[in-house]
Amino acid sequence: MQLRYSIFGESHGPGIGVVLEGLPSGLVMDMEFIQSEMDRRRAKKGGLSTTRLEGDQPEIISGVFEGRTTGTPLCAVIRNENTRSGDYTRTMDLARPSHADYTGRVRYGGYNDYRGGGHFSGRLTAPLVFAGAVAKLWLAEQGIRVGGHILRVGPVEDVPFDPVAVSADQFAVIAARTLPTISEQAGEQMQLVIQQARADLTSVGGIIQIAVTGLPAGIGSPDDSLEGIISRNIFAVPAVKGIEFGLGFGFGQAYGHEVNDPMRMDGERVVSTTNNNGGILGGISSGMPVIFQVAVKPTPSIARKQQTVDMAHHTDASLEIQGRHDPCILSRATVVVEAAAALAVMQAMRDQ
Amino acid sequence: MQLRYSIFGESHGPGIGVVLEGLPSGLVMDMEFIQSEMDRRRAKKGGLSTTRLEGDQPEIISGVFEGRTTGTPLCAVIRNENTRSGDYTRTMDLARPSHADYTGRVRYGGYNDYRGGGHFSGRLTAPLVFAGAVAKLWLAEQGIRVGGHILRVGPVEDVPFDPVAVSADQFAVIAARTLPTISEQAGEQMQLVIQQARADLTSVGGIIQIAVTGLPAGIGSPDDSLEGIISRNIFAVPAVKGIEFGLGFGFGQAYGHEVNDPMRMDGERVVSTTNNNGGILGGISSGMPVIFQVAVKPTPSIARKQQTVDMAHHTDASLEIQGRHDPCILSRATVVVEAAAALAVMQAMRDQ
Amino acid sequence: MQLRYSIFGESHGPGIGVVLEGLPSGLVMDMEFIQSEMDRRRAKKGGLSTTRLEGDQPEIISGVFEGRTTGTPLCAVIRNENTRSGDYTRTMDLARPSHADYTGRVRYGGYNDYRGGGHFSGRLTAPLVFAGAVAKLWLAEQGIRVGGHILRVGPVEDVPFDPVAVSADQFAVIAARTLPTISEQAGEQMQLVIQQARADLTSVGGIIQIAVTGLPAGIGSPDDSLEGIISRNIFAVPAVKGIEFGLGFGFGQAYGHEVNDPMRMDGERVVSTTNNNGGILGGISSGMPVIFQVAVKPTPSIARKQQTVDMAHHTDASLEIQGRHDPCILSRATVVVEAAAALAVMQAMRDQ
Amino acid sequence: MQLRYSIFGESHGPGIGVVLEGLPSGLVMDMEFIQSEMDRRRAKKGGLSTTRLEGDQPEIISGVFEGRTTGTPLCAVIRNENTRSGDYTRTMDLARPSHADYTGRVRYGGYNDYRGGGHFSGRLTAPLVFAGAVAKLWLAEQGIRVGGHILRVGPVEDVPFDPVAVSADQFAVIAARTLPTISEQAGEQMQLVIQQARADLTSVGGIIQIAVTGLPAGIGSPDDSLEGIISRNIFAVPAVKGIEFGLGFGFGQAYGHEVNDPMRMDGERVVSTTNNNGGILGGISSGMPVIFQVAVKPTPSIARKQQTVDMAHHTDASLEIQGRHDPCILSRATVVVEAAAALAVMQAMRDQ
């Protein structure tokens, strides 16, 4: 049965949540794991993210009985608390540049909840992480793991995953660090870059790299490609502006004889000696690790004065954004992108 | 009504084609325009592409009456001709590296038509171009144009579109060149690179850039983002391995105050003075041109000897691919990527 | 945008609810009307239905701001209260005949919540009525009304709607009665039949008739027929076993010259002088009232001893159902079937 | 993978056909069986149906290789021949009563192909039968059979299927008769009724009964009920106006203790001693035969003079339909309804 998920809620409304349809029945809901994933997304101290700290305890309303999924729709709700609507109402007519304030207003005819970004808020990624954690539990039963790290923040690069030998054992190590990186040193340098961005009243972008291990060959199809399914899920994560599989944009400067992935037998398994295609050929998984990179833009909410428009009076205006914002969302976004990827892979598998 | 399209066919079967559902009724089928788009995709002489030249005349089976769409499903079929199956059967068990031979065989349990790549063949992009041309006709009625150019082939870069001032007037000029580039000189250099790749028995990758002009603000949604809809369509094009919107992966090295797009009034219109977000904010069009780049890998079919596996005997093997192949598909792929983009934009608009 | 709704919850879990996606923005949420619809579904006193009386106050979690829909997903949750799980656990392995106990157990591998029917419970129709009430609010803005009455309970027949002249003015009058009938006398007789069924430790079935007024011609399509859209929604209501449009099964004994609907002009409007087709031709609305009948089976939960199986021990068994049950659900089901119909009509309209 | 099918074509255009997506790979395409199903739908001699006799040879364009499905989209096209457009153009502005002429014109803004009913023509059921035959081949591999008979034509009733003991062995016997009935005598009487209707320049309606044998318990779900999936497919068949499962509308006059289906063990199998629910409980198959009845209206095209409207001039008009028409479509419709049912059951199974 097709797996569907619907994220609902607004940043300053009663709550946010998700409904998952098409889940298998009998899946053990490891709430400790789910909560640990939720915790990875939460704001961090030390100037690395917003000071809005929330509990984010999901309440499961339906679809779980005696600790296992029933197979009928699972709804989880997270109550909003610690909202400071006063921060926002003063500036409701001023579109924050590079935010969805203007496009959301046009899209919904002015009826969208503008407080704190409403349905566009990064807060909506909390139920996405919940849903992704459920997907990870199911994938783990099939021997499939999804992990990520920050490949870049501004000028600082992390070591990439080894595209032919990435192991799920790394994932827990990475997730346990202050910033999820492979190289501890890169992570420390990224922290400095982020703290400097905050000091400079700005924000900084980066790149997240994801690996999916254990995925068997044969998932996806030419007409509904695995890359396409993953992309559609990933682009629903706020601030994502690009995705590339394997060598990705690097293919644009490459020659076929350099980047074709030679194949060989590894016992009974067909493998490739390189993995420039990121584990997907013709829209179908090849059995090699699925590897992709996701471009994340700098948080648009910065404290510096910016030029914008007053949407009510149709005039130019300037804006200084108040409130609590992340100078860099990469640290919190890694588990979010993992969640979207896990859901996509589960969707592709469940559809076959 | 939702627009859906189903591409069918195999490279060496009776024919290929497409069914379009959810088309509006009354759309004038400008067959001259449609054929001109088909012609842009066809193989080119002068060593720039394969020597398999085909007529590619689509026959419209249904959904058109007295020169206009009826609103009921439109089916078009293109007969296969000039097939040389003998080229392929000798090597049917040898997986071509970086091709879908192995993944397709696993996915379909060995029942897929392997001749000429079967359903995975680049030939299947012909009905996609047909469908895209129909979408372009509808979009043109709304004042929306979709155009593209080769931004890169190997080491050669073209001038990018001006992200705030790209005009549809350029598109025809670009499409009329031997290679679709903005700079004629870049196009000439690209030809040399491609011819050299052919001489070197290899192939070369590149990047295609697409612009959509005239799209009003408000198309898309946070839950089903315009980037996601476009991506899913684009990744169904063979050889695409990455997509980025606006600054895309460039955001990964950028600071918020540098790349946020300042907004201003332009008469009654809300515009931005830069367009790093590629015309999409929060998954919704902003009214600025939609700009994105697509990474295309080098054609995996190269004449050099390659290491691979014999899928029937489960042994290592080496392969020298025979037959007619493109040393670079960028020239032919530009109109294909435009087609996928046009269909995606029409889908997003028709769904609202 | 396509309207979707997902009903979630189990009878004895924390709560039940619904997520509505694809709602228009700006719709005024008339909570008084919505609550009045919820009240129509609630258990009635006087031996006509179960004695489980609940508040059924939906809490809107998302998608509404300042009293109007935002256009983003709307989630409403109704908490479960007054649950007596003790009634059910004693008999959890005994499949209630004509219930979903056995099929649900097979479908979900035994992981479904069996208490009170779980996700199969008639209680799940409460969020359906909520969603239907929202749909009715939107339809009313377009001049479209949906109403229903009990056409039959056991041997007692009500007067049918006038298929060419049914007026929405009737709907409020019908809804205000103890049982929703056109003829008060028929309603009184039905009450006697229901009370007798209760006294006889059995239950009784019936037929509900629905009318949709004000629907313009042209809604639906031959490939996704309006009858099909309505049916799919209606058959998701528990206990529904049949649906017929207009003359329905009566066509099986009819001749074309008797039942073809002659057409004529009524000023500028095209009308038919009879409406045997129930307002739908070729899967598309004709502008005449849409009329259909729905067969509802007797509540399977009856107090008499019944033959069944023990699903855990794979043996024959006998069962006497305890607990509070409706001897006839027609009175409560009318607003439920209206709700499913309203959602279907809104889906068909929003998809065009 | 979800099974989808798209029927395309118009009665007097170049051709009609179907694209099937989501088929399994490796299914043996028994063309003899498929053609025999097509033949069952074709016009019959002896005054029982239209005199438009066609070859209806489907050409498979894609999705089949070496006699088996590839798993990629299967397109089949049937060329139109023997069209007499002259029959229709004289009356193109006169809406045939109880036909889709008026609703189709409104739906498609006047751009629909009106010749011979265009996309609404009963001829479009030919590709549906083709698709249904493919579905039957797959179902047969799972031990599932779909068969039907005419339960009623006007006043004549056939013997119904035995709801607990219907056997697929009957299906071939029924299909081999002049009219597909269980009782030969009923079939002969129906022929007389049909011939009399033709002589009387009218047409006659009826009821088709379908049985699905061998379907395991557990197919369907409460939110997407098996009844709903079947109904949606069945109502896409022209002239269908009602559907009921098991006792269906008979439940409206029944008491629970009379019609609840008692359950018992039959060896290891759970069965019921009656099957009033038609093999479906809670939207899920119970393992008993799925039994349902479909109401088919009299062909609206009758030779008698009828009152109608001139859609171009907005005036009342009278109409005498010329051309070749069926006085009763039940004989040809049985295999069509079977096809729609087979596709629905396959959809429900493939989605799980």
Side-chain angles (χ1 to χ4, degrees), chain A residues 75-107:
Chain A
C75 178
V77 170
I78 302 166
R79 293 277 158 186
N80 287 329
E81 19 177 285
N82 193 9
T83 58
R84 296 196 206 154
S85 295
D87 290 350
Y88 296 94
T89 43
R90 278 184 305 143
T91 55
M92 60 171 280
D93 292 329
L94 300 184
R96 290 169 298 169
S98 294
H99 248 292
D101 295 340
Y102 170 64
T103 58
R105 190 171 178 130
V106 173
R107 172 68 177 82

Short mmCIF file of all heavy atoms in Angstrom, two decimals, chain A residues 75-107:
data_model
loop_
_atom_site.label_atom_id
_atom_site.label_comp_id
_atom_site.label_asym_id
_atom_site.label_seq_id
_atom_site.Cartn_x
_atom_site.Cartn_y
_atom_site.Cartn_z
N CYS A 75 -1.89 9.17 13.53
CA CYS A 75 -1.82 10.62 13.71
C CYS A 75 -1.03 10.94 14.97
O CYS A 75 -1.27 10.34 16.02
CB CYS A 75 -3.23 11.22 13.82
SG CYS A 75 -3.20 13.01 14.11
N ALA A 76 -0.09 11.86 14.85
CA ALA A 76 0.66 12.35 16.01
C ALA A 76 0.56 13.87 16.04
O ALA A 76 0.65 14.52 15.00
CB ALA A 76 2.12 11.93 15.94
N VAL A 77 0.35 14.41 17.22
CA VAL A 77 0.20 15.86 17.39
C VAL A 77 1.24 16.35 18.39
O VAL A 77 1.49 15.71 19.42
CB VAL A 77 -1.23 16.20 17.90
CG1 VAL A 77 -1.32 17.67 18.32
CG2 VAL A 77 -2.27 15.88 16.83
N ILE A 78 1.86 17.46 18.06
CA ILE A 78 2.79 18.13 18.97
C ILE A 78 2.17 19.49 19.30
O ILE A 78 1.90 20.28 18.40
CB ILE A 78 4.17 18.33 18.31
CG1 ILE A 78 4.76 16.99 17.88
CG2 ILE A 78 5.12 19.08 19.26
CD1 ILE A 78 5.94 17.12 16.94
N ARG A 79 1.93 19.72 20.56
CA ARG A 79 1.34 20.99 20.98
C ARG A 79 2.37 22.12 20.84
O ARG A 79 3.55 21.91 21.11
CB ARG A 79 0.91 20.91 22.45
CG ARG A 79 -0.23 19.95 22.69
CD ARG A 79 -1.55 20.61 22.40
NE ARG A 79 -2.57 19.60 22.13
CZ ARG A 79 -3.80 19.92 21.73
NH1 ARG A 79 -4.19 21.17 21.58
NH2 ARG A 79 -4.67 18.97 21.46
N ASN A 80 1.90 23.27 20.45
CA ASN A 80 2.78 24.44 20.45
C ASN A 80 2.80 25.05 21.83
O ASN A 80 1.78 25.15 22.50
CB ASN A 80 2.30 25.47 19.44
CG ASN A 80 2.56 25.03 18.01
OD1 ASN A 80 3.53 24.32 17.75
ND2 ASN A 80 1.70 25.43 17.11
N GLU A 81 3.98 25.44 22.27
CA GLU A 81 4.11 26.11 23.55
C GLU A 81 5.20 27.14 23.33
O GLU A 81 5.88 27.14 22.30
CB GLU A 81 4.52 25.13 24.65
CG GLU A 81 5.14 23.83 24.13
CD GLU A 81 5.62 22.89 25.21
OE1 GLU A 81 6.67 23.17 25.81
OE2 GLU A 81 4.93 21.87 25.43
N ASN A 82 5.37 28.03 24.30
CA ASN A 82 6.48 28.97 24.24
C ASN A 82 6.42 29.81 22.96
O ASN A 82 7.43 30.12 22.34
CB ASN A 82 7.80 28.19 24.32
CG ASN A 82 9.00 29.10 24.57
OD1 ASN A 82 8.85 30.29 24.86
ND2 ASN A 82 10.18 28.54 24.47
N THR A 83 5.19 30.13 22.51
CA THR A 83 5.06 30.99 21.33
C THR A 83 5.02 32.44 21.76
O THR A 83 4.39 32.79 22.75
CB THR A 83 3.77 30.68 20.54
OG1 THR A 83 2.66 30.85 21.41
CG2 THR A 83 3.77 29.26 20.01
N ARG A 84 5.71 33.28 21.06
CA ARG A 84 5.68 34.72 21.34
C ARG A 84 5.13 35.44 20.13
O ARG A 84 5.88 36.01 19.33
CB ARG A 84 7.10 35.26 21.59
CG ARG A 84 7.80 34.71 22.81
CD ARG A 84 8.97 35.63 23.12
NE ARG A 84 10.03 34.95 23.82
CZ ARG A 84 11.31 35.32 23.79
NH1 ARG A 84 11.66 36.38 23.06
NH2 ARG A 84 12.22 34.68 24.46
N SER A 85 3.82 35.43 19.98
CA SER A 85 3.23 36.02 18.79
C SER A 85 3.52 37.51 18.71
O SER A 85 3.61 38.09 17.63
CB SER A 85 1.72 35.80 18.77
OG SER A 85 1.45 34.43 18.65
N GLY A 86 3.72 38.13 19.84
CA GLY A 86 4.02 39.55 19.84
C GLY A 86 5.22 39.90 19.00
O GLY A 86 5.31 40.99 18.43
N ASP A 87 6.13 38.96 18.87
CA ASP A 87 7.32 39.22 18.06
C ASP A 87 6.97 39.53 16.60
O ASP A 87 7.75 40.16 15.90
CB ASP A 87 8.23 37.98 18.05
CG ASP A 87 8.90 37.74 19.40
OD1 ASP A 87 8.82 38.63 20.28
OD2 ASP A 87 9.48 36.67 19.55
N TYR A 88 5.85 39.00 16.16
CA TYR A 88 5.62 38.99 14.72
C TYR A 88 4.57 39.98 14.23
O TYR A 88 4.66 40.50 13.14
CB TYR A 88 5.20 37.58 14.28
CG TYR A 88 6.29 36.59 14.51
CD1 TYR A 88 6.35 35.83 15.67
CD2 TYR A 88 7.32 36.44 13.58
CE1 TYR A 88 7.38 34.92 15.89
CE2 TYR A 88 8.36 35.54 13.79
CZ TYR A 88 8.38 34.78 14.95
OH TYR A 88 9.39 33.90 15.16
N THR A 89 3.56 40.23 15.06
CA THR A 89 2.43 40.98 14.53
C THR A 89 2.80 42.39 14.10
O THR A 89 2.19 42.94 13.19
CB THR A 89 1.28 41.03 15.55
OG1 THR A 89 1.82 41.30 16.84
CG2 THR A 89 0.54 39.69 15.60
N ARG A 90 3.82 42.95 14.73
CA ARG A 90 4.21 44.30 14.35
C ARG A 90 4.59 44.40 12.88
O ARG A 90 4.45 45.43 12.25
CB ARG A 90 5.41 44.76 15.18
CG ARG A 90 5.04 45.28 16.56
CD ARG A 90 6.28 45.79 17.24
NE ARG A 90 7.29 44.74 17.26
CZ ARG A 90 8.61 44.95 17.11
NH1 ARG A 90 9.06 46.17 16.90
NH2 ARG A 90 9.45 43.94 17.16
N THR A 91 5.15 43.31 12.35
CA THR A 91 5.73 43.36 11.01
C THR A 91 4.96 42.50 10.02
O THR A 91 5.48 42.15 8.96
CB THR A 91 7.18 42.86 11.08
OG1 THR A 91 7.18 41.56 11.69
CG2 THR A 91 8.05 43.80 11.89
N MET A 92 3.69 42.20 10.32
CA MET A 92 2.98 41.23 9.48
C MET A 92 2.85 41.65 8.02
O MET A 92 2.71 40.80 7.16
CB MET A 92 1.60 40.93 10.05
CG MET A 92 0.72 42.14 10.15
SD MET A 92 -1.00 41.71 10.58
CE MET A 92 -1.64 41.20 8.98
N ASP A 93 2.87 42.94 7.74
CA ASP A 93 2.72 43.36 6.34
C ASP A 93 4.05 43.50 5.62
O ASP A 93 4.08 43.74 4.41
CB ASP A 93 1.95 44.68 6.28
CG ASP A 93 0.50 44.50 6.71
OD1 ASP A 93 -0.05 43.41 6.49
OD2 ASP A 93 -0.06 45.45 7.28
N LEU A 94 5.14 43.39 6.35
CA LEU A 94 6.46 43.51 5.73
C LEU A 94 6.97 42.11 5.36
O LEU A 94 7.20 41.28 6.22
CB LEU A 94 7.43 44.19 6.70
CG LEU A 94 7.05 45.60 7.16
CD1 LEU A 94 8.15 46.19 8.03
CD2 LEU A 94 6.77 46.49 5.96
N ALA A 95 7.12 41.89 4.07
CA ALA A 95 7.59 40.58 3.61
C ALA A 95 9.06 40.42 3.95
O ALA A 95 9.88 41.26 3.56
CB ALA A 95 7.39 40.47 2.10
N ARG A 96 9.40 39.38 4.65
CA ARG A 96 10.82 39.11 4.91
C ARG A 96 11.47 38.61 3.63
O ARG A 96 11.01 37.61 3.05
CB ARG A 96 10.94 38.07 6.03
CG ARG A 96 10.53 38.59 7.40
CD ARG A 96 10.40 37.46 8.40
NE ARG A 96 9.37 36.51 8.00
CZ ARG A 96 9.18 35.33 8.55
NH1 ARG A 96 9.97 34.91 9.52
NH2 ARG A 96 8.22 34.55 8.13
N PRO A 97 12.53 39.26 3.17
CA PRO A 97 13.16 38.84 1.91
C PRO A 97 13.59 37.37 1.96
O PRO A 97 14.08 36.88 2.98
CB PRO A 97 14.38 39.77 1.80
CG PRO A 97 13.99 40.99 2.56
CD PRO A 97 13.16 40.48 3.72
N SER A 98 13.40 36.70 0.84
CA SER A 98 13.77 35.27 0.67
C SER A 98 12.96 34.33 1.56
O SER A 98 13.27 33.15 1.64
CB SER A 98 15.27 35.05 0.88
OG SER A 98 15.99 35.70 -0.15
N HIS A 99 11.92 34.86 2.20
CA HIS A 99 10.98 34.06 2.96
C HIS A 99 9.71 33.86 2.11
O HIS A 99 9.56 34.46 1.05
CB HIS A 99 10.58 34.80 4.24
CG HIS A 99 11.10 34.15 5.49
ND1 HIS A 99 10.66 32.95 5.94
CD2 HIS A 99 12.04 34.57 6.37
CE1 HIS A 99 11.29 32.63 7.06
NE2 HIS A 99 12.14 33.60 7.35
N ALA A 100 8.80 33.05 2.63
CA ALA A 100 7.56 32.78 1.91
C ALA A 100 6.44 33.75 2.27
O ALA A 100 5.29 33.52 1.91
CB ALA A 100 7.11 31.35 2.20
N ASP A 101 6.78 34.84 2.97
CA ASP A 101 5.71 35.75 3.40
C ASP A 101 4.88 36.26 2.22
O ASP A 101 3.66 36.26 2.26
CB ASP A 101 6.30 36.96 4.14
CG ASP A 101 6.98 36.57 5.43
OD1 ASP A 101 6.69 35.47 5.96
OD2 ASP A 101 7.80 37.36 5.92
N TYR A 102 5.59 36.70 1.18
CA TYR A 102 4.89 37.25 0.02
C TYR A 102 4.22 36.16 -0.80
O TYR A 102 3.03 36.25 -1.14
CB TYR A 102 5.86 38.07 -0.85
CG TYR A 102 5.27 38.47 -2.17
CD1 TYR A 102 4.17 39.32 -2.25
CD2 TYR A 102 5.79 37.97 -3.36
CE1 TYR A 102 3.61 39.67 -3.47
CE2 TYR A 102 5.25 38.31 -4.58
CZ TYR A 102 4.15 39.16 -4.63
OH TYR A 102 3.60 39.50 -5.85
N THR A 103 4.96 35.10 -1.09
CA THR A 103 4.37 34.05 -1.94
C THR A 103 3.21 33.36 -1.22
O THR A 103 2.21 33.01 -1.85
CB THR A 103 5.44 33.01 -2.36
OG1 THR A 103 6.03 32.43 -1.19
CG2 THR A 103 6.52 33.65 -3.21
N GLY A 104 3.35 33.17 0.09
CA GLY A 104 2.26 32.56 0.85
C GLY A 104 1.02 33.44 0.85
O GLY A 104 -0.11 32.94 0.75
N ARG A 105 1.25 34.74 0.95
CA ARG A 105 0.11 35.66 0.95
C ARG A 105 -0.63 35.61 -0.39
O ARG A 105 -1.87 35.60 -0.43
CB ARG A 105 0.63 37.07 1.23
CG ARG A 105 -0.46 38.10 1.49
CD ARG A 105 0.21 39.37 1.96
NE ARG A 105 -0.70 40.47 2.21
CZ ARG A 105 -0.69 41.19 3.33
NH1 ARG A 105 0.14 40.89 4.32
NH2 ARG A 105 -1.52 42.21 3.46
N VAL A 106 0.13 35.56 -1.47
CA VAL A 106 -0.51 35.48 -2.80
C VAL A 106 -1.21 34.13 -2.94
O VAL A 106 -2.37 34.06 -3.37
CB VAL A 106 0.54 35.65 -3.92
CG1 VAL A 106 -0.09 35.40 -5.28
CG2 VAL A 106 1.15 37.05 -3.85
N ARG A 107 -0.50 33.07 -2.57
CA ARG A 107 -1.03 31.72 -2.76
C ARG A 107 -2.36 31.52 -2.04
O ARG A 107 -3.27 30.87 -2.55
CB ARG A 107 0.00 30.71 -2.25
CG ARG A 107 -0.45 29.26 -2.20
CD ARG A 107 -0.66 28.68 -3.58
NE ARG A 107 -1.03 27.28 -3.52
CZ ARG A 107 -2.26 26.83 -3.29
NH1 ARG A 107 -3.24 27.69 -3.10
NH2 ARG A 107 -2.51 25.54 -3.26
#
